[in-house]
Amino acid sequence: MNYIGSKYRLSNFILTTVKSVVGEDLSDKIFCDIFAGTGIVGRTFKPLVKKVITNDLELYSYVLNKNYIENHEELIFEEFIAELNEIQGVDGFISSEYSENGLGNRMYFSKENGRKIDAVRQRIEEWKICNRINENQFYFLLCSLLESADKVANTASVYGAFLKRIKKSAQKEMIIEPAMFLLNENSHEVYNEDANSLIKKLKGDILYLDPPYNARQYGANYHLLNTIAEYKTFLPKGKTGLRNYSKSKYCSKDLVHKEFENLIKNAEFKYVFFSYNNEGLMAIEDVRKIMGKYGNYDLAEIDYQRFKADKTENHNHKAEKTTEYLHILVK
């Protein structure tokens, strides 16, 4: 999934840094990623630690992590995936408001894929209501739908806008591909709460922080994935069809410092690792000053090529060099 701020390409750097501080053997540790996004970092640590705890305020993220993190035992899914790929599209909220030739005139999906999303989402809900699938299967199938729909979305990258013409990849028929997760013996926890409230209820060993770092609100950039996940009708706002969403204080220059310090102060974790980059609202010295109040502070950094959305219809991404900082606190 195309995701702003994804740590996929930095996961080895993060893991290596954590091990250099905490130790090579993490098998008795509880690891928490409290701004989980797609769950890439949690997935990296899942086979290595006793328990992974993830959280994110966005519903689409909760769905992804309920599958990739919380699911850890074998599931029966083949017949369900096959049935979903065989059903015919139907008219529904997505095809009407967010698809080609729909009433909303919002071209996030082709007409055919919009109707297929509606049909698949309705079928998954029907199976849940009649208990044909359990909760684990429900989130597995819903995660599979979100990721499969994202592959045929008619956007440059995020859902803040759609393209004026249906691009080639969005013309392809949506195929539901199974969102396979790691099997292991340990149980894990996934939350859908405000991080600064949740932190007061959690305890563990390693806390990883990757909050929004600039003014971009994830609720606006990924609103359509939340809409598919929740699948309740509402009155979409404006040209892009926004839904109501909670604005993060981490995206506000005036509020971020206080919000961040409260999080650090209330964290009952010995080791805290905070990902931020050189484009963040908080300066390095601001972070150092705040974290240094609560223990021993250190810093690791790496330069890498980050990919940004290209607003043209001919290319999806362009490379840009940036510096990723991993601030370290040992309480």
Side-chain angles (χ1 to χ4, degrees), residues 58-60 63 93-95 97-98 108-109 117-118 121 142 145-146 159 219-220 222-237 240-244:
E58 300 300 328
L59 182 59
Y60 70 86
V63 171
F93 189 61
I94 301 302
S95 58
E97 295 291 347
Y98 297 99
Y108 285 103
F109 298 104
I117 291 169
D118 280 315
R121 184 63 185 89
L142 189 49
L145 169 59
L146 291 182
Y159 295 85
Y222 296 96
H223 66 97
L224 193 45
L225 296 181
N226 285 334
T227 294
I228 296 171
E230 185 178 41
Y231 208 68
K232 293 181 179 178
T233 59
F234 61 93
L235 184 61
K237 296 180 180 179
T240 59
L242 277 176
R243 54 191 287 125
N244 291 328

Side-chain angles (χ1 to χ4, degrees), residues 249-315:
K249 293 180 181 178
Y250 288 91
C251 297
S252 168
K253 190 174 183 179
D254 295 330
L255 302 175
V256 61
H257 295 83
K258 182 178 180 180
E259 193 77 350
F260 177 65
E261 180 158 3
N262 284 336
L263 187 68
I264 296 297
K265 179 176 65 176
N266 291 317
E268 292 193 44
F269 290 78
K270 181 176 181 180
Y271 304 99
V272 181
F273 297 86
F274 172 47
S275 280
Y276 219 55
N277 70 23
N278 58 321
E279 299 174 357
L281 294 176
M282 293 189 293
I284 293 180
E285 287 305 316
D286 296 334
V287 175
R288 187 194 309 272
K289 183 178 179 181
I290 291 171
M291 295 182 76
K293 292 180 183 180
Y294 300 95
N296 296 321
Y297 170 87
D298 203 351
L299 177 67
E301 62 183 81
I302 186 173
D303 292 331
Y304 75 108
Q305 294 290 327
R306 183 168 66 87
F307 289 90
K308 298 182 68 176
D310 188 339
K311 295 182 179 180
T312 70
E313 296 183 27
N314 296 321
H315 301 89

Side-chain angles (χ1 to χ4, degrees), residues 11-29:
S11 57
N12 286 336
F13 164 67
I14 295 167
L15 176 59
T16 300
T17 304
V18 168
K19 284 187 171 182
S20 71
V21 176
V22 180
E24 284 292 322
D25 184 6
L26 304 177
S27 60
D28 64 340
K29 305 301 184 189

Side-chain angles (χ1 to χ4, degrees), residues 76-254:
I76 296 173
F77 65 86
E78 291 85 353
E79 64 179 291
F80 299 111
I81 292 291
E83 187 171 333
L84 292 177
N85 279 320
E86 290 175 0
I87 64 175
Q88 298 299 308
V90 299
D91 292 329
F93 189 61
I94 301 302
S95 58
S96 174
E97 295 291 347
Y98 297 99
S99 302
E100 179 186 26
N101 298 330
L103 296 176
N105 197 30
R106 302 180 182 100
M107 293 173 53
Y108 285 103
F109 298 104
S110 69
K111 177 182 177 180
E112 293 76 13
N113 284 332
R115 297 182 78 248
K116 186 65 176 288
I117 291 169
D118 280 315
V120 170
R121 184 63 185 89
Q122 291 174 26
R123 185 65 57 86
I124 293 172
E125 196 68 23
E126 290 168 3
W127 289 341
K128 177 186 177 184
I129 292 171
C130 73
N131 294 319
R132 187 178 171 191
I133 58 175
N134 61 29
E135 181 178 287
N136 294 336
Q137 291 169 313
F138 172 76
Y139 284 108
F140 171 83
L141 294 172
L142 189 49
C143 176
S144 300
L145 169 59
L146 291 182
E147 294 196 329
S148 299
D150 185 67
K151 291 179 181 178
V152 295
N154 190 45
T155 66
S157 181
V158 299
Y159 295 85
F162 49 84
L163 300 178
K164 295 179 181 179
R165 295 188 298 272
I166 302 295
K167 63 181 181 179
K168 288 184 178 180
S169 61
Q171 293 173 17
K172 297 178 180 179
E173 178 187 3
M174 183 184 71
I175 303 297
I176 306 299
E177 298 178 3
M180 303 305 295
F181 55 88
L182 177 71
L183 301 174
N184 69 8
E185 297 179 352
N186 299 332
S187 61
H188 309 280
E189 298 176 11
V190 177
Y191 295 91
N192 179 214
E193 300 182 25
D194 174 81
N196 277 58
S197 297
L198 179 63
I199 194 67
K200 299 174 185 177
K201 298 180 280 186
L202 297 178
K203 290 183 180 180
D205 302 294
I206 304 167
L207 177 64
Y208 175 71
L209 306 174
D210 184 23
Y213 61 90
N214 60 25
R216 289 195 297 260
Q217 294 281 352
Y218 282 75
N221 280 326
Y222 296 96
H223 66 97
L224 193 45
L225 296 181
N226 285 334
T227 294
I228 296 171
E230 185 178 41
Y231 208 68
K232 293 181 179 178
T233 59
F234 61 93
L235 184 61
K237 296 180 180 179
K239 185 177 182 180
T240 59
L242 277 176
R243 54 191 287 125
N244 291 328
Y245 65 93
S246 299
K247 293 187 177 181
S248 173
K249 293 180 181 178
Y250 288 91
C251 297
S252 168
K253 190 174 183 179
D254 295 330

